[in-house]
Amino acid sequence: MKAIVTVMLKDGVLDPQGKAIGQALHGLGFATVGDVRAGKIIVLDLAEADPAAARAQAEEMAKKLLANTVIESYRVDIT
């Protein structure tokens, strides 16, 4: 089973990488781009057959290691 963990900075936390990407896109002529936020996606292969158990494991991993929950939020999707 795969768990996809998406980690993003929380609203209100400065995102210099997103700002740089937005400025670069404007420089390339993509004037319609507004605010840009950068994050990360972590794909986990889990040896778990139960989707609920896989979600619980991935959420625990996100809380303990994958996301800094002070400044980042995360979402877990199971496929």
Side-chain angles (χ1 to χ4, degrees), residues 18-43:
K19 187 73 149 174
I21 292 167
Q23 290 173 345
L25 289 170
H26 286 164
L28 292 170
F30 297 102
T32 59
V33 173
D35 188 36
V36 176
R37 305 287 286 176
K40 57 189 171 189
I41 295 175
I42 302 155
V43 179

Side-chain angles (χ1 to χ4, degrees), residues 2-70:
K2 284 194 189 292
I4 301 169
V5 182
T6 304
V7 180
M8 297 293 293
L9 288 170
K10 290 181 177 179
D11 290 338
V13 176
L14 294 178
D15 184 357
Q17 184 179 18
K19 187 73 149 174
I21 292 167
Q23 290 173 345
L25 289 170
H26 286 164
L28 292 170
F30 297 102
T32 59
V33 173
D35 188 36
V36 176
R37 305 287 286 176
K40 57 189 171 189
I41 295 175
I42 302 155
V43 179
L44 305 165
D45 279 321
L46 302 175
E48 181 61 61
D50 178 29
R55 177 179 300 282
Q57 286 179 11
E59 295 224 359
E60 187 174 351
M61 291 177 201
K63 286 178 194 169
K64 290 185 174 181
L65 177 69
L66 303 177
N68 176 349
T69 56
V70 174

